[in-house]
Amino acid sequence: MRGPGAVKAGSRPPWLGLSAAVWVQVAGGASSTFALYSHALKLALGVDQRRLALLAVACDVGENLGLLPGVLCNRLHPALLLLIGAAACVLGYGATWLAVSGAAPALPYWLVWLALCLAANSGAWLGTAVLVTNMRNFPLSRGAVAGILKGYAGLSAAVYTEIYTGILHDSAASLLLLLALGVPSVCLLTMYFVQPCQPSLVPNSSEQVHFLFTQIGSIVLGVYLVGATILDHVVTLSDAVNYSLVVIMVLLLFAPVAIPLKMTLFPSNRRKGPSDSSGADSDHTEPFLPPSASGSNLTDLDDEDSFDIDILYAEGEGAVKQTRRRPKRGEDFRFREALLKADFWLLFAVYFIGVGSGVMVLNNLAQVGIAAGAVDTTISLSLFSFCNFFGRLGGGAVSEYLVRSWTIPRTALIICTQVVMIFTYLLFALGLHSTLHVAVALLGICYGIQFSAMISASSELFGLKHFGKIYNFISLGNPLGALLFNSLAGYFYDLEVEKQHATTTDFDVACHGPNCFRLTFFILSGMACLGTLLSIVLTVRIRPVYQMLYAGGSFSQPRSSAH
C-alpha cells in the first residue's frame, strides 16, 4: 500500500528530481576549478609549490569528507542536506575570495586551508543528497543514474571554465565570488524538487528511452563546451559572442527538464499491467510535484536500530525470537558489517590508487602544463573535464550493458582503466607539449570511469539501505591518495625549482622541463600496476555476485538480510 506521500512508479516527480539533481551536480563540482585560481592564490599567500599542493589537498579532503552527510541522508530530507551544503559554500568560498581579492587583511595560511576544505565539503553534502535520493528513486538503473549525475559533475570544470573565460575575463577573484553566491542560489532553486519517490521495481522501456535522451543531451553539452573553449583560443571573440555562448550552454543544461515537461503536456493513458498495485488511482493524472515522500520512504530506510527495536517489541509480545543473520554480498549491509569484508577494502584500495593519483594531476594541471611549455592551461582543464564526463557517462552505460548481457562485474572496466593509466603516466613523464593533451584526455576518461564504476559496484555489493555511508567512506580514498601523491609531486617539483633557480627566493618562479614531474609520474605508473593487480583480484572475487544479481538479464533484488 502506498504511503500518503508516495508517487506512482514512472511518474514525473522522479524525473523532475533527476533534472534538478543535474544542476546541483554541475554547481557542486566547483572544487574541480582549483587550477583556475591556484596561481592567484599562490601569489596572494606567497607560498611554494608544496604548500600550494596542500591547499589542493584541502579541496580533496573537503569534497570527499562525506561520512556525516552519508549518515544523515537516512534521517534528514534531501532539502536540508542541500541547505547545509549551501551554507558551507558561502563561508568557504567567501573566505577564499577575501584572501585572493585583498578585500580584507591578509588571511593566515591555515585559515585559507580550512576555508577551502569547508568550501569543497559543500560538494559532499550536495552530491550525497542528490545521488542517494536518485539511486533509490531508480533502483533498476543504478549504472545509468550514477553515470549521468557523476557525468554532469565531471562537466562542472568545463562549465566554470566557459564562464571564467567568456564572462569573468580570467579573473580568479570574480570566479570565487561567483562560487560563493552562485552555488547556494542553485541549491535554493532546486531543493524543492529533489525528494524521495516510490521507486519502480518493474523494467520499463520508456524509462530507458528517457535515460538515453538525458545521456545524449549531456554528450551534446560536453562537445559544445570543448568546442566553445577551443574557439575562444583560436579567434578573439567579442563580449556579445561570449555572452551568447554562455546562454546556449545554460539552455543545454535545461535539456533533462524536457522529460518531465513532456510527461506534463502529454500524459500517458496506457492501461496498467498486473504489476500496477495502485488500483483506481492509476487512472488519475498525478500533480506536477506531489507532497514530500520523505516520511514514507525514509521510514523504510531508517538505520539498523529500528530493526533491533522491532525484535525486542516482538519478544515482549511473545513472538518467536529472531536473530539477524550476517548478510551475503548483494544484500543490505550495515556500515560496520561492510567494513569487515575484503571486497570493501579491495574496492577502497583500487579507488585510492586510481582516483587519488588522477586528482593529483588535476590539482597540478596548471604546473604540469607550464612545465611542458603550455602557456594557457584552460584548454587542458576543459579537455580533462569533458573526458572525465565522457568516462563517467560512458562507464555507467557500458558497465550497465556488460552486467545485463554478460554478468561481467563493473569493476572489469577498472582493470582496463588501470592498464591505460600505466601508459598514460609514462606519456606524462615525457613532459612534451605535443603529447600533453593526449595524456590529459586519456587520464580524464580513466578517472571518470572509475568514479561511476565504484558508485554502482558499491551499491550492488552492499545494498542501498546504507549506501550513503558506505559510498562516502570509500570516497575517502580520493583525498588520502591526493595527500600522498600531491605531497610527493610538490616535493620533487620544489627540488627541481631549486636546481633551476638557485639564486632566487621568488615564489612566482615556475619549473620548466620534463624533470619537474618525471619521477612523480614514474612512481604513479608503478602504482597503476599495483592497482591493475588489485582490481583483477576484486573482479574475480565478485563475479558470482553479478551472476546472481543479473542472471535474468535485469537487476534482481536479493532477499533482505534483515529477516
Side-chain angles (χ1 to χ4, degrees):
M1 181 175 179
R2 292 166 53 200
V7 298
K8 297 196 294 295
S11 59
R12 291 179 294 276
W15 290 100
L16 191 60
L18 183 64
S19 303
V22 163
W23 276 80
V24 173
Q25 286 289 71
V26 171
S31 60
S32 61
T33 63
F34 181 79
L36 294 177
Y37 59 84
S38 62
H39 189 66
L41 197 58
K42 183 178 182 180
L43 295 178
L45 298 178
V47 296
D48 57 15
Q49 186 64 26
R50 272 177 287 188
R51 301 189 76 190
L52 182 66
L54 289 178
L55 291 178
V57 170
C59 293
D60 302 322
V61 171
E63 183 183 16
N64 296 280
L65 200 61
L67 282 179
L68 184 57
V71 171
L72 294 180
C73 70
N74 279 5
R75 294 170 169 83
L76 300 180
H77 192 278
L80 293 178
L81 299 182
L82 294 179
L83 272 181
I84 296 173
C89 192
V90 171
L91 294 175
Y93 284 117
T96 309
W97 171 76
L98 291 176
V100 171
S101 66
L107 299 180
Y109 176 86
W110 65 268
L111 184 58
V112 176
W113 195 96
L114 290 177
L116 283 173
C117 186
L118 180 63
N121 188 242
S122 66
W125 291 90
L126 306 185
T128 298
V130 299
L131 183 63
V132 172
T133 301
N134 282 279
M135 290 280 279
R136 290 171 176 171
N137 287 348
F138 300 98
L140 300 185
S141 303
R142 304 181 191 188
V145 171
I148 289 170
L149 291 184
K150 284 304 177 181
Y152 272 102
L155 277 180
S156 179
V159 170
Y160 282 118
T161 299
E162 178 62 26
I163 297 174
Y164 176 75
T165 57
I167 295 180
L168 303 180
H169 305 295
D170 297 345
S171 171
S174 298
L175 175 64
L176 289 168
L177 184 60
L178 173 67
L179 298 180
L181 301 179
V183 177
S185 298
V186 171
C187 294
L188 293 176
L189 291 172
T190 58
M191 60 188 298
Y192 179 70
F193 304 107
V194 179
Q195 60 173 299
C197 303
Q198 180 178 324
S200 172
L201 299 179
V202 179
N204 190 328
S205 59
S206 64
E207 184 173 280
Q208 301 307 314
V209 173
H210 292 157
F211 278 123
L212 180 61
F213 173 83
T214 306
Q215 291 165 339
I216 293 175
S218 62
I219 292 173
V220 172
L221 174 62
V223 172
Y224 172 80
L225 288 170
V226 173
T229 303
I230 295 175
L231 180 65
D232 184 57
H233 286 78
V234 173
V235 298
T236 302
L237 303 177
S238 64
D239 288 343
V241 174
N242 281 324
Y243 288 131
S244 299
L245 291 175
V246 172
V247 169
I248 295 174
M249 176 189 75
V250 172
L251 292 176
L252 290 174
L253 282 170
F254 275 108
V257 183
I259 296 173
L261 185 61
K262 174 256 183 184
M263 290 180 171
T264 302
L265 298 177
F266 306 100
S268 175
N269 293 319
R270 66 181 184 277
R271 295 181 59 87
K272 308 297 179 188
S275 60
D276 185 9
S277 61
S278 57
D281 290 342
S282 63
D283 295 328
H284 297 289
T285 301
E286 63 275 18
F288 189 67
L289 189 66
S292 170
S294 59
S296 61
N297 199 34
L298 292 182
T299 300
D300 297 333
L301 298 169
D302 205 358
D303 66 357
E304 59 267 21
D305 295 334
S306 62
F307 177 75
D308 298 331
I309 293 173
D310 290 341
I311 291 180
L312 292 175
Y313 182 77
E315 290 176 358
E317 295 292 327
V320 178
K321 184 177 180 180
Q322 299 185 51
T323 57
R324 187 183 193 275
R325 66 174 177 82
R326 299 178 67 178
K328 298 178 181 179
R329 291 179 299 182
E331 298 176 343
D332 287 323
F333 277 70
R334 296 175 180 175
F335 177 62
R336 59 177 176 267
E337 291 171 334
L339 291 177
L340 300 177
K341 304 299 293 184
D343 297 333
F344 179 91
W345 292 107
L346 280 170
L347 190 59
F348 181 90
V350 169
Y351 191 76
F352 169 87
I353 293 172
V355 177
S357 61
V359 80
M360 185 284 295
V361 180
L362 177 60
N363 291 337
N364 293 276
L365 198 56
Q367 289 72 33
V368 171
I370 292 173
V375 178
D376 190 347
T377 58
T378 54
I379 290 182
S380 294
L381 182 59
S382 182
L383 181 62
F384 182 93
S385 178
F386 172 73
C387 292
N388 178 23
F389 148 76
F390 183 79
R392 296 183 186 202
L393 183 69
V398 172
S399 67
E400 198 76 12
Y401 172 78
L402 291 177
V403 297
R404 292 179 184 273
S405 300
W406 306 96
T407 65
I408 296 177
R410 301 182 194 271
T411 52
L413 287 180
I414 298 182
I415 299 175
C416 300
T417 60
Q418 293 278 4
V419 172
V420 173
M421 289 172 74
I422 295 173
F423 300 100
T424 301
Y425 287 136
L426 293 177
L427 199 60
F428 270 114
L430 296 177
L432 301 177
H433 185 225
S434 58
T435 59
L436 176 63
H437 290 160
V438 176
V440 168
L442 289 174
L443 182 62
I445 293 173
C446 296
Y447 183 86
I449 288 175
Q450 294 190 66
F451 254 108
S452 61
M454 184 279 287
I455 293 171
S456 303
S458 61
S459 73
E460 289 162 333
L461 290 176
F462 307 111
L464 283 174
K465 187 173 184 179
H466 301 288
F467 170 68
K469 285 183 279 189
I470 293 171
Y471 153 69
N472 278 297
F473 186 89
I474 295 176
S475 294
L476 289 175
N478 184 320
L480 291 176
L483 176 61
L484 172 64
F485 300 128
N486 266 302
S487 300
L488 196 67
Y491 175 75
F492 291 129
Y493 183 94
D494 287 335
L495 285 181
E496 185 61 25
V497 167
E498 292 178 4
K499 294 179 183 178
Q500 295 182 8
H501 308 277
T503 60
T504 182
T505 58
D506 185 4
F507 288 119
D508 193 24
V509 170
C511 182
H512 298 277
N515 289 333
C516 301
F517 290 97
R518 174 169 287 169
L519 185 56
T520 300
F521 284 123
F522 281 154
I523 295 174
L524 293 185
S525 183
M527 293 299 297
C529 292
L530 176 60
T532 301
L533 178 61
L534 293 178
S535 55
I536 291 174
V537 173
L538 175 63
T539 302
V540 171
R541 284 177 55 89
I542 65 177
R543 179 66 191 275
V545 181
Y546 281 84
Q547 291 175 334
M548 173 190 70
L549 294 178
Y550 291 93
S554 61
F555 182 80
S556 175
Q557 184 71 37
R559 183 165 57 93
S560 173
S561 62
H563 300 286

